[in-house]
Amino acid sequence: MAETVFSRIIAREIPARIEHEDDRCLAFHDVAPQAPVHVLVIPKRPIPALTALVDGDEALIGHLVLVATRIADRLGLAGGYRLVVNCGRDGGQSVDHIHVHLLGGRALGWPPG
Ligand code: DGP
């Protein structure tokens, strides 16, 4: 699989403002925030997209979501927030390494563009 900018962030070759790290995932602030809080939670394993998930990945995906909720609590998003996973070009995915966007800190519109 081609290396992405996120693999380079995991390897600390590119700096990022890190919120959380454990053996399975890394969470860091988005370089181009779309809301006052915009954090990306990524698996350390470089899965390119939702379409590449296989049986056995359930716990990993659940872990990413749980970590995102804990960061939301820590960052004070008591009024609510949104988790987004873009998939493929039509889904707005630009980095081919699965990531959960945590967006909050303002009222978010619906439907998304
Ligand atoms: P998506 O469009 O769903 O693939 O989101 C990719 C996000 O990654 C986008 O919101 C911008 C963010 N991003 C891209 N390059 C970097 C980087 O070098 N550092 C950080 N912190 N975020 C990045």
Side-chain angles (χ1 to χ4, degrees):
M1 189 190 131
E3 190 185 66
T4 69
V5 66
F6 289 174
S7 302
R8 300 191 65 206
I9 288 174
I10 292 168
R12 303 298 202 272
E13 294 167 4
I14 295 177
R17 203 176 131 212
I18 292 171
E19 271 297 332
H20 170 90
E21 180 168 24
D22 61 41
D23 57 328
R24 286 179 283 174
C25 76
L26 185 72
F28 51 93
H29 290 264
D30 196 291
V31 76
Q34 302 301 310
V37 172
H38 189 170
V39 171
L40 303 173
V41 186
I42 70 172
K44 288 190 169 172
R45 183 153 62 88
I47 304 167
L50 289 176
T51 49
L53 289 173
V54 295
D55 288 345
D57 286 338
E58 297 91 341
L60 176 62
I61 295 304
H63 182 64
L64 301 182
V65 170
L66 199 57
V67 164
T69 68
R70 290 186 176 144
I71 293 170
D73 286 347
R74 197 166 71 232
L75 297 183
L77 301 181
Y81 55 85
R82 186 172 295 162
L83 303 184
V84 174
V85 182
N86 294 326
C87 181
R89 294 301 162 253
D90 283 356
Q93 183 176 5
S94 61
V95 178
D96 293 334
H97 182 135
I98 279 187
H99 44 286
V100 176
H101 294 259
L102 164 63
L103 296 148
R106 66 171 170 83
L108 299 164
W110 190 264

